[in-house]
Amino acid sequence: MYEPFGLAVLEAADAGCPLVLSDIPTFRELWGGVAAFVDPMNADAFAETISLVVSDDFARAEMGRRAQKRARRFTVETMAGKMAAIYRGLAEGCSTPVLRNRVAA
C-alpha cells in the first residue's frame, strides 16, 4: 500500500503516541523534530529504537506530547482552508473563466 501522507501516523500522533517512523522524505517533512527515524530496511534498528522509547518513560511521554502538538496542524479545517486559499489564488490569476456553460446546439 502507498500512502504519501500517512493517515495512520497522524492518528497515532493525535492520540499522543510517540512516533518511530521509517526514514523517508515524506515522514521527515511532516514529523521532523517530533519523531525518531529509522532506516526502513533495518528491522534491528526499529526494534532497538522502539525498545529505547518503551524503556524511557520521560522520553516516551515527551515524544507523544510533541507528536500530538504537531498533529494539530493537520486538522480537516486547517487543510480545507489551505486548499481553498490555493484555489482562490489560482482563480485570481485567470482572466477568463476556467469552466464555461455549454449550450447544446
Side-chain angles (χ1 to χ4, degrees), residues 6-102:
L7 290 177
V9 176
L10 178 58
E11 289 176 2
D14 192 46
C17 296
L19 303 177
V20 178
L21 304 174
S22 294
D23 192 358
I24 60 173
T26 299
F27 288 161
R28 281 254 178 214
E29 178 182 346
L30 298 170
W31 304 105
V34 302
F37 295 97
V38 181
D39 177 351
M41 303 306 288
N42 189 338
D44 290 337
F46 263 104
E48 181 179 339
T49 303
I50 291 168
S51 180
L52 288 171
V53 171
V54 167
S55 66
D56 186 335
D57 293 340
F58 178 79
R60 186 175 61 253
E62 182 62 17
M63 287 176 71
R65 186 192 63 75
R66 289 190 330 233
Q68 190 172 49
K69 183 177 178 183
R70 175 73 54 86
R72 292 183 189 137
R73 292 183 184 177
F74 304 112
T75 65
V76 171
E77 295 79 14
T78 299
M79 303 305 276
K82 288 183 179 189
M83 288 301 297
I86 290 169
Y87 285 123
R88 276 193 301 277
L90 292 171
E92 290 170 3
C94 294
S95 58
T96 58
V98 176
L99 301 174
R100 297 179 183 186
N101 291 330
R102 294 192 175 183

